[in-house]
Structures are given as structure tokens and as C-alpha cells.
Amino acid sequence: MTESSGPAHRPSAVPGPWSVPVLLRPRQPRVVVKADLLPAVSVLGTLSILSFPLAFLWSRIAPPERVRIIGSDGTQGALELESWHRFDDLAIFGFLTLGLGIVVGVVVWLMRERRGPVVFLAAVLGVALASVLAMLLGVGWANSHYAITSAPALGSVIELAPRLESWWVLITGPFGVAVTYSLLTTWNGRDDLGRRLG
């Protein structure tokens, strides 16, 4: 009976002289800049046009603040709870721009051949520009819509135009684009974000 001298020896994993070297490594997708510049400019310009309907919608649905004329010189007295509409105006504008940002993030993601940081940055800047223009236009249109054409009588109640008293509300639109696009990118999980249609 022959005794085993030790554990069985296995062949080592070190490549031998007949191993095939790797000559071609898989190419890592690179960021496309030049080809995406023109679509990015188109996205930026198109989004700036959306400021007009956004401003008009806000100027019509934002609630005015009602005040009472308490002096012969036009001194105004606040009515109970009416000052809350100043926050309502800000919140409505913020939700409108946030919704615009979410929709833009999804639509830009559906531009499959142009997915990447260039068009993404154009979408963020475009929504930011549309928000700024909508803020300026919306306040102007609201002022003209609630314009007082004659001197109000003493004791009468008038409506003051909606107003936006904080520029911080402008971050909601770009925030919506960034979060939506980032979630879709994470969900996709491909190195090239699925740009290749094949």
C-alpha cells in the first residue's frame, strides 16, 4: 500500500508561455462635446421660450393680496390672513418651475443620441434662464392685470398684484432637472448611457 506524500498539487494560475496576450482592451466611452454643442444650444433656446407660458400661467393663478383703504391719502390696511398670499405666490411659482424642471429632465433624457453632460448642463441652464425670465415677465403681467385705474374710495377693498419677494425660488427648476436626470442616469447604469442605438 502506497502512502500519499502530501496534498495534491494543482497547476498554478500564472500564465504560461503559450498564453494569448490581450492586445485590444475594451474602449471606455468618452464624453462627447463637439457633436453635442449644437443640440445643447437648441435645448437652451427652446427652454427660454417656455418662460412666456410659465409667466402667464403664474400671473393668472397666483392669488392677489386684498387690502382696505384706511386713509384719504391711500394708506392701506392689511386684512386678516391676506398676507399669507405672499407666500402662496412664491410657493406656486416654485412648484411651477419644479414641475417644468422634472418634465425637462425626462424629455432631455429621451434624446437618447445626445445623453451626456453637455446637454444636461444646457437643460439646467435653460430651465434657470426660463425661471428668471418667467419671474420678471410674470410680475409685470400680474401688475398690469391687477392695475388700479382710478383712486380707490376710503374704506374700499382693493387687490394688490401677486409678487415674488425672494430670488431663492429660482433654484427649484434647475434642481428638478438635476435630480430627475441623475435618477434616470443611475437607473440606466450603462457606461455610454445607452447612446448607441444598436
Side-chain angles (χ1 to χ4, degrees):
M1 180 179 269
T2 307
E3 296 185 11
S4 175
S5 60
H9 294 284
R10 296 184 180 178
S12 119
V14 178
W18 295 282
S19 63
V20 179
V22 177
L23 298 178
L24 297 176
R25 297 186 180 275
R27 292 181 58 188
Q28 295 293 331
R30 296 184 178 180
V31 176
V32 180
V33 176
K34 189 174 181 180
D36 288 351
L37 283 179
L38 185 59
V41 172
S42 301
V43 168
L44 187 64
T46 303
L47 292 178
S48 63
I49 298 175
L50 295 179
S51 61
F52 292 96
L54 185 66
F56 182 80
L57 180 62
W58 176 83
S59 67
R60 293 303 184 265
I61 67 175
E65 181 183 359
R66 299 191 307 163
V67 296
R68 187 182 300 277
I69 303 300
I70 59 175
S72 57
D73 58 346
T75 306
Q76 301 169 357
L79 297 177
E80 187 178 2
L81 303 181
E82 285 294 319
S83 61
W84 290 9
H85 289 321
R86 295 164 61 185
F87 172 77
D88 297 338
D89 299 337
L90 204 62
I92 290 173
F93 187 84
F95 280 118
L96 287 176
T97 53
L98 179 63
L100 175 66
I102 293 173
V103 171
V104 168
V106 172
V107 171
V108 171
W109 175 258
L110 292 177
M111 299 169 56
R112 182 170 180 176
E113 293 180 331
R114 300 302 175 196
R115 290 177 183 171
V118 177
V119 175
F120 165 69
L121 289 176
V124 171
L125 293 177
V127 171
L129 177 61
S131 300
V132 171
L133 294 176
M135 187 176 194
L136 300 174
L137 289 171
V139 170
W141 287 346
N143 288 334
S144 63
H145 183 65
Y146 292 97
I148 300 174
T149 56
S150 59
L154 183 64
S156 61
V157 176
I158 62 173
E159 292 181 338
L160 300 180
R163 54 189 182 272
L164 297 171
E165 299 177 321
S166 175
W167 287 87
W168 284 103
V169 72
L170 296 177
I171 68 174
T172 58
F175 177 76
V177 178
V179 170
T180 303
Y181 203 91
S182 300
L183 289 175
L184 291 172
T185 302
T186 306
W187 167 76
N188 179 266
R190 298 182 182 178
D191 291 338
D192 66 342
L193 302 180
R195 285 177 67 112
R196 293 192 297 268
L197 300 180

